[in-house]
Amino acid sequence: MAVVLFASAGGAPGVTTAVVGLASEWNRPVLIVEADTASTSQILPGALRGQVPHITGLTELTVADYYGRLDEGAVWDQAVQLGENAHVVPGFTSLRAARSIDPRFWRTLVDALRVVEARGIDVFIDAGRITVDDERIDMLREAESVTLVVEATLPGVAALHPHVQRSDAGSAQVGWLRESMEQIGHGEWMDLLVVDHPVVGAAYPASQIAQILGLHLVGSLPSDPRGAAQFTFHAEPGRRRTRYARALQTVRTAYDETFAQRAPREEVPA
């Protein structure tokens, strides 16, 4: 089982859409945690069409943490069902609350999520946009995959590059995220998910982007607004599987192969 953290460095490449889509194609149960500190829940008004009130989520978990009660049970108390094999813990109800929490909250939360994962449920953390020396670093370092989602454009690549810059890339300065992951021997656990751009001539090949950034490529998603809308807004998919859904299946297979090659962490007592 695995904890996968998804994030971007700028723009709006479609992190949440990819997370929801992968959860629907995953071959194991998934718990999604909306851990974006710059936005409230995107899944409740999007994939769940606003049918579930935003009365649960990370805000309530910060209260549980304050009283020393943030554990596996508290996490499930805040989860709502997203699909047949997927649940989601919604994000913060208040951006002010998201910005003012104790950074130690993230360490306690990821410890609770590790217990969830030990019971056979994969955890997807939607971190939204990462920032330099991100206070959620404990979650980043705990993940079996830090999947960086980037749009296949020069501005998209340029926004991500300073975070993952290598010392052999013409500069003596290593990106803060790469440095942090390498400190624990997980420099190779940063993965790349490329989202194509619809404008002909504006997009770059996914393999070239991965080579420039020095990241392991798990796959790419097409520019397919109709297919993506199935997971962004719970739109009807139509009779045929969309290009977006087919690409998700390919990416899922790439994750299975990737995790099989990475050394497992020590098991957390369930």
Side-chain angles (χ1 to χ4, degrees):
M1 303 305 105
V3 173
V4 185
L5 186 142
F6 297 84
S8 70
V15 176
T16 301
T17 300
V19 169
V20 174
L22 279 170
S24 72
E25 294 289 335
W26 214 246
N27 52 12
R28 295 181 295 275
V30 173
L31 175 66
I32 299 172
V33 178
E34 290 191 286
D36 192 346
T37 57
S39 174
T40 57
S41 175
Q42 296 297 301
I43 293 177
L44 292 183
L48 289 174
R49 293 185 168 184
Q51 298 300 305
V52 178
H54 196 173
I55 58 176
T56 64
L58 289 193
T59 301
E60 293 302 314
L61 286 180
T62 62
V63 176
D65 182 43
Y66 179 81
Y67 288 104
R69 299 171 183 167
L70 177 46
D71 55 15
E72 177 197 12
V75 169
W76 283 115
D77 285 344
Q78 300 305 315
V80 297
Q81 189 160 5
L82 178 61
E84 184 176 352
N85 289 315
H87 289 75
V88 57
V89 175
F92 291 98
T93 56
S94 165
L95 294 183
R96 182 172 294 176
R99 293 293 187 178
S100 62
I101 63 171
D102 189 327
R104 290 176 295 181
F105 165 75
W106 301 111
R107 176 70 261 174
T108 310
L109 176 59
V110 77
D111 287 343
L113 295 176
R114 269 293 169 201
V115 179
V116 173
E117 182 256 350
R119 297 189 188 279
I121 299 170
D122 287 337
V123 177
F124 288 180
I125 300 172
D126 180 352
R129 186 178 298 188
I130 56 172
T131 57
V132 176
D133 297 328
D134 201 295
E135 63 182 13
R136 299 165 295 178
I137 189 62
D138 284 332
M139 303 186 84
L140 288 151
R141 298 176 77 169
E142 191 69 24
E144 272 75 25
S145 168
V146 174
T147 297
L148 299 166
V149 184
V150 64
E151 191 174 59
T153 62
L154 186 56
V157 175
L160 180 56
H161 181 261
H163 299 274
V164 298
Q165 184 169 288
R166 296 169 292 181
S167 59
D168 61 352
S171 172
Q173 186 173 0
V174 179
W176 73 271
L177 180 55
R178 183 178 297 278
E179 181 178 37
S180 180
M181 297 296 286
E182 288 180 346
Q183 285 174 352
I184 60 170
H186 290 176
E188 302 301 318
W189 289 24
M190 295 187 296
D191 298 312
L192 184 69
L193 180 60
V194 178
V195 180
D196 288 342
H197 192 277
V199 178
V200 176
Y204 290 79
S207 58
Q208 182 180 351
I209 295 173
Q211 183 178 9
I212 292 171
L213 295 174
L215 299 174
H216 172 254
L217 181 66
V218 291
S220 62
L221 298 175
S223 174
D224 179 11
R226 186 172 182 177
Q230 177 185 350
F231 308 105
T232 307
F233 307 114
H234 198 70
E236 292 297 327
R239 295 181 179 180
R240 296 182 179 180
R241 281 178 63 81
T242 64
R243 291 189 299 129
Y244 195 91
R246 293 196 299 271
L248 286 169
Q249 194 170 34
T250 302
V251 172
R252 184 205 71 196
T253 300
Y255 273 113
D256 288 339
E257 295 172 351
T258 297
F259 294 145
Q261 296 173 4
R262 290 179 180 167
R265 296 178 183 270
E266 294 183 3
E267 292 189 3
V268 176

